[in-house]
Amino acid sequence: MVGELSKIVLMETEGNWKNEFGRPWMIAGPCSAETYEQLFQTTKAVYDLGITVVRAGVWKPRTRPNTFEGVGEPALEWIEAIKAEIPVQFAIEVANVQHLELALKHHIDMVWLGARTTVNPFTVQEIADALKGTDIPVMVKNPVNPDLALWLGCIERIANAGVRQIAAIHRGFSSFRNTRYRNEPLWQLPIELKGRLPHIPLICDPSHIAGDRSMIREIAQKALDLNYDGIMVETHPDPDNALSDPMQQVSLRQLADIIGDLKLRKDTCDDALFKSKLEELRNRIDSIDHDIVENLANRLRIIEEIGQYKKENDVTILQMERWTSILNSRREWSKALGLSTDLIEEIYKTIHSESIRKQTEIFNRSPESPS
Ligand code: PEP
Ligand code: MN
């Protein structure tokens, strides 16, 4: 298992990262490089697990001043010294052109743009310009806010600079809501990114999604089950005393356990029985979906009649009492059927906003315009 997960060779195929086993690709290392000894010990342990790409933060974006902001250039010297002894590649975060220049000067193997950089197109463009003519692989973390266009835009700027090896890192999204995650995963966003850019490897960073080491295994497994191409995990010899992100870093021992536990499922199965059963189930889904779409169209036709009727009688589009009763009854129905009430609520909010849009269109129609 460990061998399969970690004995990864970075190969360039049609300008994209692929690894020897197709997937996934493991990256592990400390949130921050703190001392030579800490970095050496971590690299050695990570390498002994068969992982050959080590992450380390050299400059740290911190929320408040007067906290540990990374050791800077001396860490790059430690990295060079460690690489002379252990055959690994190093990945670091660069947040400005100066960081990138120092990374190149010290032969860093790959860089990533952090979540606070991806949000800023000016900085991204400056870094992209400085990347021209280099062939260093670049990983792009999602922006802190759930904005797919911004994430795609950042990747596009890097690609336009001629960088051929690009990967995306999903590290979750800031949320004002109280959730069990430090950064909400909002899995549909990276899935949408993968749909738009199928050739860009997608790596999951369970550490920054979780914010708590007890959840790393579960999130990493979910990413693998969603066919991610790789995982980037923060690990530290003494996590509780780490200078940054102490709660979410796993110990070197825990890292070994997690890697040993992760299950790598296959993309597909060639067994004929499996295939025919899957096809039968998919046919049933297709026919149910067809009914759903047909019923939505039927519903919309009735909405049009209602809109017209309200307009003729000068009645407002939104009837709060009716809307509340729709929501409540649909929630009740879904509960009785064992469906998630939150899911049904989300679906009905979407249906309702379309209904309002349609009725507004009818209200705004001038009497002489064709219906
Ligand atoms: C990090 O990787 O340590 C980091 C600061 O991440 P992010 O940009 O995702 O917050
Ligand atoms: Mn971190």
Side-chain angles (χ1 to χ4, degrees), residues 30-32 55-57 59-61 93 112-117 141-142 144 169-172 182-183 205 208 232 234 244-245 248:
C31 176
S32 308
R55 61 149 285 148
W59 300 277
K60 298 306 298 177
E93 173 177 351
W112 79 81
L113 270 57
R116 291 160 197 78
T117 304
K141 284 202 173 195
N142 67 255
V144 279
I169 303 178
H170 170 216
R171 51 76 80 192
R182 176 179 176 192
N183 291 294
D205 170 351
H208 290 87
M232 180 197 256
E234 287 188 341
S244 59
D245 290 346
Q248 71 192 33

Side-chain angles (χ1 to χ4, degrees), residues 147-162:
D147 185 336
L148 180 63
L150 206 50
W151 196 3
L152 286 165
C154 181
I155 292 174
E156 206 180 331
R157 284 177 201 277
I158 302 298
N160 287 348

Side-chain angles (χ1 to χ4, degrees), residues 187-200:
W187 295 96
Q188 69 277 18
L189 256 105
I191 289 170
E192 172 84 22
L193 180 105
K194 191 74 185 163
R196 304 265 198 103
L197 301 173
H199 302 301
I200 300 272

Side-chain angles (χ1 to χ4, degrees), residues 50-84:
I51 299 172
T52 54
V53 183
V54 181
R55 61 149 285 148
V58 171
W59 300 277
K60 298 306 298 177
R62 305 312 299 277
T63 306
R64 306 202 51 208
N66 304 322
T67 43
F68 175 71
E69 294 192 319
V71 297
E73 195 169 1
L76 299 174
E77 283 157 16
W78 304 338
I79 289 174
E80 284 191 291
I82 292 171
K83 275 179 18 183

